[in-house]
Amino acid sequence: MADFSDIIDQQQMKEHMQNALKTGKVSHAYIISGENEAGKEYIARIFAKALQCQHRKNEGDYIEACNECPSCIKALSENHPDIITITHDKPNSIGVDDIREKLRDDVVIRPYESDYKIYIIPEGEKMTVAAQNALLKTLEEPPAYIVMIILTNNINAFLPTIISRCIVLPMKPARDEAITKFLMETCKIVDYKAMVCASFARGNVGKAISLASNERFENLKNETIELVGKLKNLEIYDIMNRVHAILEPEEEDSKTAKKGIDLVALEDFMDVLLFLFRDMLVYKATGEDVHLIFTDKVSYISSVTKTTTYEGIDRIIKNMETAKNRISSNVNIDLALELMLLGIKECL
């Protein structure tokens, strides 16, 4: 039974929604903008449930839905007749017919049992220009009972006329400490693993949850750090064979794969290396493990920092940034990784 108190950080957004609930001044249209997996629909449904609740209550710092009235029960089961999710048949676009049939032609029908008729539009950036123009006609003259909540990972995909008629609520990265606490208390993740997942998620709560339950990520992290520990004794041929084994796509036809490399895994691989050498810098400077991300690898980090210089670690990090730039510029991935790993080997 998710409520406002369960939303991690996002204070500005919560304050705006709370003010709407308190004053009854609810906008006809909102755009919640944020990364994939950040929790946009999660927040939209909490807001929608509270708007429709028949017996809202003050609980702690928030006005919350009661979670007990008939409206809340239907909202919780995603079976509320006045909370409508706009779906689309084509995976990569929301067409004009989707908006006309499921929203524009439907808004003339009054709510069945609530004060509001709420439309949630996931992946709003996929609306075609024609679909946005169809939506615009409703935005220009909305019935008093209509609330539209458009979710997007790309605010720039919308026509200026759409944005100007909506309240835009951008999601901010959640704090690592808040995500770590959530993973430990709610998901029962051990402390060091929760810290790693929070760091890698970069403020994206959904991604942190996904990483925490992702066995492949845990294996990738351990295999990458193990590879670094063996670099000195490996030839480049063996190094690249191990890299390909770590980054091998789970499925041959994976949409995230390129030339036998899973691009999502590649991003995680580079991040593991970056955080590992960042930990080495911190440990070399302080001699303490309290600020490390990989606290479960402190013994290895300590041993490396005894023989590696600040300049060497700094050079490794700069080589990694160069490799990232080369990969993003479509330079051969294997070549970029070879040069980077040879540079790491020389500095260790």
Side-chain angles (χ1 to χ4, degrees):
M1 293 191 295
D3 293 305
F4 282 99
S5 60
D6 298 309
I7 299 171
I8 299 173
D9 287 351
Q10 309 305 331
Q11 268 324 111
Q12 277 187 309
M13 191 179 301
K14 286 191 283 189
E15 284 173 13
H16 187 97
M17 292 177 175
Q18 285 289 302
N19 189 57
L21 292 169
K22 192 180 299 181
T23 63
K25 294 178 180 177
V26 181
S27 174
H28 293 301
Y30 297 89
I31 294 176
I32 299 180
S33 173
E35 293 180 348
N36 290 336
E37 298 186 271
K40 300 184 291 291
E41 188 165 350
Y42 178 80
I43 293 172
R45 292 196 177 280
I46 289 172
F47 186 36
K49 180 184 65 168
L51 283 171
Q52 303 290 42
C53 178
Q54 297 161 0
H55 306 294
R56 290 181 209 138
K57 56 185 180 182
N58 289 302
E59 202 164 272
D61 297 328
Y62 303 107
I63 299 170
E64 301 278 22
C66 71
N67 292 318
E68 295 174 351
C69 69
S71 177
C72 283
I73 291 168
K74 289 173 186 175
L76 288 165
S77 64
E78 296 187 14
N79 195 32
H80 198 298
D82 296 322
I83 301 176
I84 301 149
T85 302
I86 304 297
T87 57
H88 49 101
D89 297 327
K90 294 180 181 177
N92 296 318
S93 70
I94 301 173
V96 64
D97 290 339
D98 293 313
I99 297 300
R100 280 177 182 162
E101 293 168 13
K102 298 172 184 177
L103 194 152
R104 199 184 72 182
D105 295 346
D106 189 70
V107 296
V108 296
I109 303 169
R110 296 187 65 81
Y112 291 97
E113 56 187 54
S114 307
D115 292 334
Y116 301 101
K117 196 167 187 180
I118 301 172
Y119 294 87
I120 297 174
I121 309 177
E123 301 180 304
E125 71 281 353
K126 292 184 177 180
M127 281 191 286
T128 63
V129 171
Q132 291 188 48
N133 281 320
L135 180 67
L136 190 58
K137 292 183 179 179
T138 302
L139 286 172
E140 287 170 342
E141 296 180 10
Y145 48 80
I146 290 298
V147 178
M148 286 176 272
I149 307 176
I150 305 168
L151 315 178
T152 185
N153 63 15
N154 180 13
I155 191 70
N156 297 318
F158 296 106
L159 298 171
T161 45
I162 294 283
I163 296 173
S164 67
R165 287 170 172 79
C166 299
I167 301 292
V168 178
L169 300 173
M171 294 193 69
K172 304 292 175 65
R175 292 168 297 123
D176 284 2
E177 314 88 79
I179 297 176
T180 300
K181 182 180 178 184
F182 171 80
L183 291 177
M184 290 172 61
E185 294 181 357
T186 305
C187 303
K188 308 303 179 187
I189 304 298
V190 294
D191 53 359
Y192 73 86
K193 186 174 180 180
M195 288 172 64
V196 170
C197 293
S199 298
F200 273 72
R202 290 189 172 91
N204 186 323
V205 178
K207 185 176 181 182
I209 295 169
S210 176
L211 290 173
S213 59
N214 187 334
E215 187 178 335
R216 187 183 185 194
F217 172 73
E218 183 69 15
N219 292 337
L220 180 147
K221 181 199 78 172
N222 291 331
E223 288 169 9
T224 301
I225 295 175
E226 182 184 344
L227 172 63
V228 173
K230 294 178 177 179
L231 276 181
K232 278 188 176 182
N233 302 316
L234 294 174
E235 297 299 324
I236 190 61
Y237 176 82
D238 295 318
I239 293 171
M240 291 309 296
N241 277 345
R242 290 177 184 239
V243 169
H244 276 277
I246 293 170
L247 303 181
E248 184 180 8
E250 290 185 306
E251 298 177 10
E252 286 185 13
D253 60 344
S254 171
K255 292 179 181 177
T256 62
K258 183 178 181 181
K259 294 184 179 179
I261 288 177
D262 186 318
L263 298 181
V264 174
L266 174 61
E267 186 176 335
D268 288 338
F269 174 77
M270 297 296 283
D271 281 346
V272 169
L273 291 175
L274 187 62
F275 285 128
L276 175 64
F277 291 111
R278 172 262 179 204
D279 273 0
M280 289 181 185
L281 273 180
V282 170
Y283 191 84
K284 192 166 184 66
T286 66
E288 299 177 354
D289 61 6
V290 290
H291 298 298
L292 301 187
I293 293 170
F294 296 123
T295 53
D296 58 325
K297 306 294 181 183
V298 65
S299 177
Y300 170 67
I301 290 168
S302 172
S303 66
V304 173
T305 55
K306 288 176 182 175
T307 57
T308 309
T309 64
Y310 286 111
E311 293 76 14
I313 300 172
D314 187 55
R315 193 156 64 248
I316 287 171
I317 292 172
K318 286 177 179 174
N319 283 342
M320 288 192 58
E321 291 300 326
T322 300
K324 277 190 168 186
N325 291 334
R326 284 172 174 161
I327 291 169
S328 64
S329 301
N330 290 319
V331 171
N332 181 282
I333 294 175
D334 273 3
L335 178 60
L337 291 176
E338 279 185 23
L339 293 171
M340 178 189 76
L341 290 164
L342 283 172
I344 293 173
K345 182 178 178 180
E346 288 174 6
C347 294
L348 288 177

